[in-house]
Amino acid sequence: MQKRGTKSAKRHLKKLSGREARFRKNTNHVISKRLVHKAKATRQGIALEELRHIRQRTERTVRRSQRSRHSCWSFAQLRFFLSYKAALAGVPLHLVDPRNTSKTCHVCGHCAKENRKSQAVFCCQACGYCDNADRNAAINISRAEVMRPIVSSGSFSGCNQRSA
Ligand SMILES: [Zn+2]
């Protein structure tokens, strides 16, 4: 339809994109509601990576033509929904420094670009631990906030060190 470029095709595309936006908005509402509900029920906080990193990840996995649509705004919306829903529910929401979360081994703390074998796979070059890359990163993110009060000297620029 985009190729044809006729008036009706354009109109139809516009309608589709509106529907898509509403769908995404609704999905973000549902996701944020569930996350906040679960966090409250289990008396936990929510940790999120800063926006920048999400966009970088998306750019690597999504086709060039879809980058703009998939980039940061959808996540920004989710973060916005999360922040006010969390505030209303009294759930703490933390933004985590995204540096090195995806290339640091959550088991031994080794940080290297080579640990990230591909978009999906994480394999630690030091201890041999292998996992889904997003899962490994998520564990690092969940620890980062807990570790922050301990590492209070402002030396958070390096790789995450395992505390125990
Ligand atoms: Zn390791």
Side-chain angles (χ1 to χ4, degrees):
M1 278 189 289
Q2 214 150 23
K3 244 180 197 169
R4 282 181 66 198
T6 62
K7 257 187 186 171
S8 75
K10 276 181 188 159
R11 215 169 26 232
H12 195 68
L13 274 173
K14 203 176 170 189
K15 210 167 119 191
L16 269 181
S17 69
R19 196 181 298 160
E20 197 183 319
R22 280 195 301 278
F23 174 78
R24 196 172 302 173
K25 189 177 178 182
N26 185 54
T27 306
N28 276 341
H29 266 304
V30 171
I31 292 170
S32 54
K33 195 175 157 186
R34 282 193 196 159
L35 283 171
V36 169
H37 185 77
K38 183 160 189 187
K40 191 175 185 175
T42 54
R43 297 181 168 214
Q44 293 183 82
I46 297 171
L48 280 175
E49 273 187 346
E50 295 281 7
L51 204 56
R52 184 168 51 89
H53 193 62
I54 295 286
R55 192 175 64 224
Q56 281 170 357
R57 255 190 213 173
T58 309
E59 278 173 2
R60 272 186 259 121
T61 52
V62 177
R63 273 186 296 129
R64 195 177 291 265
S65 62
Q66 295 193 322
R67 274 179 195 174
S68 58
R69 291 200 290 158
H70 279 261
S71 64
C72 57
W73 81 262
S74 183
F75 181 73
Q77 187 183 59
L78 176 64
R79 192 166 79 166
F80 172 68
F81 291 169
L82 265 177
S83 62
Y84 80 73
K85 286 183 212 289
L88 282 173
V91 169
L93 181 78
H94 308 291
L95 288 178
V96 172
D97 188 331
R99 278 173 293 182
N100 302 320
T101 51
S102 62
K103 49 185 178 182
T104 301
C105 173
H106 89 262
V107 175
C108 74
H110 178 65
C111 175
K113 210 166 65 189
E114 293 73 29
N115 286 348
R116 190 74 180 267
K117 296 305 263 183
S118 69
Q119 185 60 33
V121 179
F122 180 94
C123 266
C124 180
Q125 302 302 295
C127 74
Y129 169 79
C130 284
D131 200 350
N132 173 287
D134 284 332
R135 204 181 99 88
N136 177 68
I139 294 170
N140 285 330
I141 292 164
S142 69
R143 280 186 186 159
E145 192 55 41
V146 178
M147 286 166 65
R148 192 170 278 179
I150 303 166
V151 191
S152 56
S153 56
S155 57
F156 195 70
S157 55
C159 295
N160 299 337
Q161 295 296 315
R162 207 178 173 217
S163 56

